[in-house]
């Protein structure tokens, strides 16, 4: 691991998904799935690849933020970074001037995630392992050394976290073997984007059921009567025994969320996702309390800024399902902290995925969670969206509604150079054809 990072490049890569309403929801009606795509070059020729996810406009701002962090990375050796990863994380998140742009939130944190994702990819490649295996093979103390516990020790100390990891060593090999043979359970969001017609919903649900899917998520929040109709349609399509979730993408005020979801209770959703502002911890707690008698949980996390907010969500009993995101939080380092806190609070983790590369990334984290932290699959599943995987060199593999364990070294987020060139904004061929 003596490789020295000699260059960082970042590119604005966008896919015109809005043309066919892929990814459309009540708040984001025309998303163009995009990424700030980072490549780290080393003096040995080994490269590290990372990204953070965006929805089109504004990706150029994240690119600028990544460029602002580049000076903290270039010139460092991989060994120096990973031998004191906690300090390197703090270097990126606590620069005396740059942190004013966050701290640890917003565009600067998205940029931090992209850079750190590339570092983790580089480390896994240097070890010749997929990222999940790199984590699984680590000594618990080394895992702990990667986590910044600042601001969360009132709910999780280093000693407690270490105890969780040590306890989970029992049965660890059996769980790893299970994942290698069976994969991790998934649910699909691909059938019911808000902009899809009824005909599309029916067709996609039919195909999904034939392919073994039993867990489905529906976008809601634009129109109550239409939501009732669409959710009834989906429930009729998938049958009473399969699992249904609903997702409002932050559309409602607190009281509105409670009344709206109460009207949708007839379709028996497992959870309502992002019912209100992602920053409103006490609002989520009030919604959780109100919906508990209906058997409906609250899920959130894809736009939760950092480990501190997750800490407070958990303290307030505001979430029944924690949804980590591999690009919203500070990469693997901060997600490790959230996985451990969720385990302490006995709240299942069901990661957010989809977008560009999110499925490829988060599969590694949820495999680690099961093998080395939670040791439990009850109430747990990972989101899957069937878009844009063909643009990656090691695309996610899903069989019978399960994420199959990645085999290639790295963090699975290297994109095909041909795809990057074609979709780079604004000079790629795709964008010359689709001027916006």
């Amino acid at each position: 691991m003596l490789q020295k990072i000699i260059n960082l490049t970042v590119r604005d890569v966008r896919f015109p998904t809005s043309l066919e309403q892929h990814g459309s929801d009540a708040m984001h009606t025309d998303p163009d799935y995009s990424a700030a795509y980072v490549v780290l070059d080393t003096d040995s020729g080994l490269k590290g690849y990372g990204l953070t996810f965006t929805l089109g406009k504004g990706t150029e701002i994240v690119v600028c933020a990544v460029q602002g962090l580049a000076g903290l990375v270039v010139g460092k050796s991989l060994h120096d970074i990973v031998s004191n990863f906690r300090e390197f994380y703090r270097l990126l998140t606590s620069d005396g001037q740059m942190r004013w742009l966050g701290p640890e939130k917003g565009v600067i944190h998205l940029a931090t995630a992209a850079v750190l994702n590339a570092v983790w990819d580089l480390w896994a490649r240097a070890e010749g392992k997929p990222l999940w295996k790199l984590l699984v093979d680590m000594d618990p103390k080394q895992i702990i050394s990667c986590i910044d516990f600042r601001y969360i020790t009132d709910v999780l100390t280093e000693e407690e976290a270490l105890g969780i990891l040590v306890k989970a060593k029992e049965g660890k090999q059996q769980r790893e073997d299970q994942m290698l043979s069976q994969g991790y359970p998934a649910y699909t969001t691909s059938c019911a984007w808000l902009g899809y017609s009824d005909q599309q919903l029916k067709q996609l649900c039919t195909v999904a059921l034939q392919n073994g899917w039993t867990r489905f998520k529906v976008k809601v929040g634009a129109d109550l009567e239409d939501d009732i109709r669409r959710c009834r349609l989906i429930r009729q399509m998938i049958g009473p025994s399969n699992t249904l979730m609903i997702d409002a993408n932050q559309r409602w005020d607190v009281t509105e969320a409670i009344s709206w979801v109460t009207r949708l209770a007839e379709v028996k959703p497992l959870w309502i996702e992002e019912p209100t502002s992602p920053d409103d911890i006490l609002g989520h707690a009030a919604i959780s309390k109100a919906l508990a008698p209906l058997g409906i949980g609250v899920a959130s996390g894809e736009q939760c800024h950092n480990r501190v907010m997750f800490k407070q969500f958990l303290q307030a009993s505001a979430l029944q399902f924690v949804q980590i995101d591999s690009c919203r939080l500070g990469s693997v380092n901060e997600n490790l902290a959230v996985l451990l806190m969720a385990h302490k609070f006995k709240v299942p983790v069901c990661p957010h995925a989809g977008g560009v590369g999110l499925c490829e990334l988060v599969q590694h984290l949820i495999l680690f969670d099961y093998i080395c932290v939670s040791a439990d699959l009850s109430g747990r599943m990972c989101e899957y969206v069937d878009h844009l995987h063909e643009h990656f060199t090691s695309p996610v593999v899903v069989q019978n509604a399960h994420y199959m364990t990645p085999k290639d070294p790295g963090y699975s987020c290297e994109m095909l150079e041909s795809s990057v060139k074609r979709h780079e904004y604004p000079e790629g061929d795709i964008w010359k054809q689709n001027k916006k």
Side-chain angles (χ1 to χ4, degrees), residues 17 49 51 62 73 90 101 103 108 120 139 141 155 170 209 265 270 289-290 296 307 313 436:
T17 48
Y49 302 86
L51 58 81
V62 184
V73 181
R90 284 194 178 181
L101 303 179
I108 193 65
W120 279 97
D139 180 83
K141 289 184 178 178
V155 302
E170 182 180 349
L209 288 163
L270 175 66
K289 185 176 181 181
I296 302 171
R307 65 195 179 281
F313 271 112
K436 280 206 167 187

Side-chain angles (χ1 to χ4, degrees), residues 79-97:
H79 177 269
D80 289 345
I81 291 172
V82 304
S83 62
N84 198 347
F85 215 149
R86 180 183 301 167
E87 286 306 307
F88 182 71
Y89 178 89
R90 284 194 178 181
L91 175 70
L92 294 188
T93 58
S94 300
D95 177 85
Q97 296 181 12

Side-chain angles (χ1 to χ4, degrees), residues 153 171 187 323-324 419:
T153 55
Y187 72 88
Q323 295 179 308
I324 60 169
S419 290

Side-chain angles (χ1 to χ4, degrees), residues 16 19 425 428-436:
L19 295 178
Y425 188 86
D429 289 345
I430 286 290
W431 291 108
K432 288 179 180 178
Q433 298 166 16
N434 295 281
K435 289 289 186 182
K436 280 206 167 187

Side-chain angles (χ1 to χ4, degrees), residues 394-415:
S394 299
V396 67
V397 176
V398 170
Q399 295 177 2
N400 195 32
H402 283 70
Y403 277 89
M404 303 312 294
T405 310
K407 303 293 196 300
D408 294 339
Y411 202 1
S412 303
C413 54
E414 179 187 357
M415 298 178 74

Side-chain angles (χ1 to χ4, degrees), residues 43 57 65 124 170 186 191 195 199 221 237 244 254-255 279 289 293 312 325 330 334 350 354-355 359 397 412 431:
D43 56 1
K57 295 173 187 175
E170 182 180 349
C191 298
Q199 183 180 354
M237 290 293 299
L244 180 68
V254 171
T255 53
D279 297 347
K289 185 176 181 181
Q312 294 182 16
D325 184 281
E334 193 166 32
C350 299
C359 297
V397 176
S412 303
W431 291 108

Side-chain angles (χ1 to χ4, degrees), residues 27-261:
M27 293 294 277
H28 314 96
T29 55
D30 61 344
D32 285 327
Y33 280 180
S34 307
Y37 180 59
V38 173
V39 181
L40 300 177
D41 293 292
T42 69
D43 56 1
S44 71
L46 192 66
K47 296 177 185 288
Y49 302 86
L51 58 81
T52 196
F53 172 60
T54 60
L55 293 186
K57 295 173 187 175
T59 309
E60 71 277 9
I61 304 171
V62 184
V63 167
C64 286
V66 171
Q67 292 168 340
L69 294 171
L72 301 174
V73 181
V74 175
K76 298 278 194 304
S77 76
L78 180 59
H79 177 269
D80 289 345
I81 291 172
V82 304
S83 62
N84 198 347
F85 215 149
R86 180 183 301 167
E87 286 306 307
F88 182 71
Y89 178 89
R90 284 194 178 181
L91 175 70
L92 294 188
T93 58
S94 300
D95 177 85
Q97 296 181 12
M98 294 281 282
R99 78 180 301 276
W100 192 258
L101 303 179
E104 296 183 82
K105 64 173 75 75
V107 167
I108 193 65
H109 214 39
L110 293 174
T112 300
V115 172
L116 286 170
N117 284 342
V119 171
W120 279 97
D121 180 72
L122 182 64
W123 187 5
R125 288 170 184 267
E127 295 290 343
K129 299 177 180 181
L131 189 279
W132 71 268
K133 183 62 172 168
L134 174 74
L135 292 171
V136 166
D137 288 349
M138 279 188 196
D139 180 83
K141 289 184 178 178
Q142 190 174 15
I143 292 287
I144 297 301
S145 74
C146 296
I147 301 171
D148 187 354
F149 284 86
R150 183 163 53 181
Y151 309 134
I152 63 171
T153 55
D154 52 324
V155 302
L156 183 73
T157 65
E158 289 188 42
E159 292 74 20
E160 287 178 300
L162 182 62
I164 290 170
L165 294 172
V166 170
K167 183 179 180 181
K169 290 176 76 171
E170 182 180 349
K172 175 181 166 182
Q173 188 58 56
Q174 291 94 319
R175 291 191 296 275
E176 182 176 342
D177 293 341
Q178 178 190 1
M179 290 296 99
L180 286 167
S181 63
Q182 298 177 15
Y184 195 91
Y187 72 88
T188 179
T189 307
S190 299
C191 298
W193 297 114
L194 201 60
Y196 283 3
S197 67
D198 287 1
Q199 183 180 354
Q200 280 179 289
L201 297 182
K202 291 178 181 179
Q203 179 183 356
L204 291 169
C205 277
T206 299
V207 173
L209 288 163
Q210 291 170 351
N211 289 334
W213 291 97
T214 60
R215 305 175 182 95
F216 299 78
K217 190 165 77 180
V218 183
K219 296 292 183 175
V220 298
D223 178 270
L224 178 56
E225 295 306 319
D226 192 55
D227 283 349
I228 293 171
R229 184 188 60 77
R230 290 172 69 253
C231 287
R232 285 173 176 170
L233 174 62
I234 296 289
R235 174 54 80 188
Q236 182 180 7
M237 290 293 299
I238 69 174
S241 61
N242 285 329
T243 303
L244 180 68
M245 293 81 71
I246 55 176
D247 183 359
N249 289 95
Q250 314 155 31
R251 183 62 185 255
W252 305 312
D253 283 357
V254 171
T255 53
E256 185 181 21
I258 294 168
S259 62
W260 199 302
V261 176

